[in-house]
Every structure is written in structure tokens, then in C-alpha cells.
């Protein structure tokens, strides 16, 4: 799969956060280390490919930040301020150093436009099919079902949710043990913001997931796997904008070619 698609998938992972206040019984501060994995498997001559990117989520009871360093694209940090409901995106690629901020209303408008564009792309792929499975039952259009399974990931208790439709199969592990909300990550399909998934039934923060998509005969697997968790006191500098960065609008940052 070409680099532009991997790039867009990565941006989608990090670009739609909005934090909520934590409950008193949750862990209030910590750092989660992830591997974000994209795998492609096709019958074509191009064969299979696999891309692994380390990713970090850091949080306290006031702020949260997600950090990802993508080869050929650069470093990305998304910072959420719970008091001001402001999103800050910090991008670095070589000598290009930019940051942008947006309030809750601005982010909402951007998300709506992004969803509209991506919905058009998914409609073109007939992803909203109401086909039937082998038993004649209509396939789900995106409702997550809570299973009877519970598991522990790096000491964090999770509930297991499952979802499947004509295009996607997904297993998601969610926890209520951390001061993080499900909206830190947008868990719509990589091509469509929340079009195929209804997150309203998910309780807590989606700690990790496994997703398989079948796009025109090519299988793509996305995984977000926890590597380690530290219930530590977070360095406040992680939530600050580094010196030497130029401020631009969020729309300018979205449309910028960082290659």
C-alpha cells in the first residue's frame, strides 16, 4: 500500500480528540506505551506489508497528550486541555515546526467536514452495505456488542466489545480505570469518522483494539497494542508547546504537506 494511505490512517488516529473530566475512582496520572500496527495482505503482486509505529499517551487529571513519530512524515503531538476545552496539534518535520490550536466549536466543525468527505469515499466503496451473512441474518452496521469476556492488560481491567459488518471486524478492549475518555481516539473506520461504528455503547476508554478490513479483495489489519503502562506523575512540559514553533490555523495544518 502506498505511503499516502498509511499517512492518512495515522493522521486519522490522532486528529480527533476531546477529553472529558475523570471520575474519582480512576487513576489520575500515567503513561501508556503502544505499538500502532498496520498490515496489508493482497493477492496482487505487491504481496504483504507491515508498518509498526510506537505511540505514547500521557495524561493527568487536567490534560492528555498523544505522541507519534512517523518516518517520512515527522513527529506529531496532540494535546488536550480539559479546562479550556482546547486542542493543540504540534507537528515537526525537519526544519518545519508548526503548531495550531482550536476550541471545541472549531474542532466540531472540522470533524463534521472531515466526516462528510470521508463518508463520500466510503459510499463509493459500498461500505454501508446491508448484505446478509451465510445464515441470512443482516450484518450489523456498526453496533458494538459487549461480550462476557473480561481481561487484564498491563494491570488494567478491560471489558471486551465486538463489532462486525460487511466490511469490518473489530474487537475492542475498554477500561474505566484510567482518567481518559473514549473520545481521545476517533474509532470510526480509517476512511470514515464514526460512520461505521457507534461508540455510544462503549463504557470507558478504548485501551486497545484489533480491526480487520476487506477492501476490494485486499485485507488490511489495524492494531493498537499496549506495550507497557506506568502509573507515574507526568512531566508538565509534555503538555507545553516547544519553543521555536510557528503558529498557524488548524485548517492550514491539516492541509499541509509534511513530506
Amino acid at each position: 500500500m502506498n505511503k499516502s494511505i498509511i499517512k492518512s490512517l495515522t493522521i486519522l488516529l490522532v486528529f480527533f480528540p476531546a477529553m472529558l473530566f475523570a471520575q474519582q475512582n480512576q487513576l489520575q496520572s500515567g503513561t501508556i506505551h503502544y505499538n500502532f500496527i498496520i498490515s496489508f495482505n493482497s493477492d496482487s503482486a505487491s504481496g504483504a506489508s507491515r508498518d509498526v509505529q510506537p505511540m505514547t499517551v500521557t495524561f493527568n487529571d487536567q490534560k492528555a497528550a498523544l505522541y507519534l513519530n512517523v518516518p517520512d512524515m515527522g513527529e506529531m503531538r496532540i494535546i488536550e486541555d480539559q479546562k479550556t476545552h482546547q486542542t493543540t496539534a504540534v507537528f515537526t518535520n525537519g526544519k518545519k515546526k508548526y503548531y495550531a490550536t482550536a476550541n471545541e466549536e472549531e474542532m466540531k466543525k472540522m470533524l463534521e467536514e472531515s466526516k462528510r468527505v470521508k463518508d463520500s469515499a466510503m459510499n463509493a466503496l459500498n461500505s454501508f452495505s446491508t448484505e446478509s451473512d451465510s445464515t441470512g441474518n443482516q450484518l450489523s452496521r456498526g453496533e458494538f456488542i459487549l461480550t462476557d469476556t473480561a481481561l487484564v492488560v498491563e494491570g488494567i481491567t478491560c471489558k471486551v466489545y465486538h463489532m462486525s459488518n460487511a466490511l469490518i471486524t473489530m474487537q475492542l478492549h475498554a477500561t474505566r480505570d484510567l482518567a481518559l475518555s473514549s473520545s481521545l481516539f476517533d474509532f470510526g473506520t480509517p476512511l470514515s469518522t464514526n460512520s461505521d461504528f457507534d461508540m455510544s455503547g462503549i463504557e470507558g476508554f478504548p485501551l486497545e483494539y484489533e480491526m480487520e478490513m476487506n477492501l476490494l479483495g485486499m485485507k488490511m489489519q489495524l492494531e493498537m497494542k499496549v506495550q507497557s503502562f506506568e502509573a507515574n506523575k507526568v512531566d508538565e512540559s509534555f503538555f507545553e508547546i516547544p519553543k521555536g514553533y510557528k503558529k498557524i490555523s488548524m485548517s492550514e495544518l491539516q492541509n499541509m504537506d509534511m513530506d
Side-chain angles (χ1 to χ4, degrees), residues 58-253:
T58 303
F59 68 96
N60 59 24
D61 60 347
Q62 300 295 321
K63 297 180 181 179
L66 185 152
Y67 174 81
L68 187 65
N69 189 346
V70 183
D72 300 322
M73 181 177 177
E75 299 180 21
M76 297 179 290
R77 183 155 33 124
I78 306 298
I79 305 168
E80 287 298 318
D81 188 313
Q82 295 184 135
K83 289 185 176 180
T84 63
H85 303 287
Q86 180 172 272
T87 299
T88 301
V90 183
F91 277 22
T92 309
N93 187 311
K95 294 182 179 181
K96 297 179 180 179
K97 297 182 178 181
Y98 298 98
Y99 78 96
T101 60
N103 60 34
E104 195 172 16
E105 185 62 27
E106 290 169 334
M107 288 300 294
K108 181 180 178 180
K109 290 180 180 179
M110 290 167 56
L111 284 171
E112 289 174 349
E113 175 60 20
S114 178
K115 181 180 183 300
R116 184 190 65 78
V117 172
K118 296 180 184 74
D119 281 352
S120 297
M122 291 301 282
N123 278 321
L125 292 172
N126 295 317
S127 66
F128 304 121
S129 170
T130 55
E131 296 174 8
S132 298
D133 61 19
S134 58
T135 64
N137 296 321
Q138 194 176 70
L139 293 170
S140 168
R141 291 187 62 191
E143 181 182 359
F144 277 100
I145 305 299
L146 176 63
T147 71
D148 295 330
T149 304
L151 50 82
V152 177
V153 179
E154 292 294 319
I156 304 170
T157 303
C158 298
K159 294 182 178 180
V160 178
Y161 293 82
H162 180 80
M163 174 268 175
S164 65
N165 62 15
L167 178 68
I168 297 168
T169 299
M170 184 171 180
Q171 180 171 283
L172 182 148
H173 308 148
T175 181
R176 300 187 67 182
D177 290 353
L178 306 178
L180 288 165
S181 78
S182 62
S183 54
L184 177 62
F185 296 112
D186 183 288
F187 275 90
T189 73
L191 299 179
S192 180
T193 304
N194 269 345
S195 290
D196 282 340
F197 296 154
D198 178 5
M199 290 290 292
S200 61
I202 300 294
E203 294 185 4
F205 175 68
L207 187 67
E208 60 179 23
Y209 69 86
E210 300 175 2
M211 180 197 303
E212 182 174 296
M213 302 178 65
N214 193 333
L215 298 173
L216 304 177
M218 180 177 65
K219 290 185 178 180
M220 177 174 68
Q221 292 180 318
L222 302 181
E223 298 177 73
M224 190 176 75
K225 290 292 186 181
V226 173
Q227 301 302 301
S228 64
F229 170 70
E230 306 163 35
N232 59 339
K233 184 176 180 180
V234 178
D235 185 352
E236 289 292 329
S237 65
F238 200 82
F239 305 120
E240 298 174 357
I241 302 169
K243 294 182 179 180
Y245 281 68
K246 180 182 178 181
K247 185 176 182 178
I248 59 177
S249 70
M250 192 69 82
S251 59
E252 286 177 312
L253 192 60

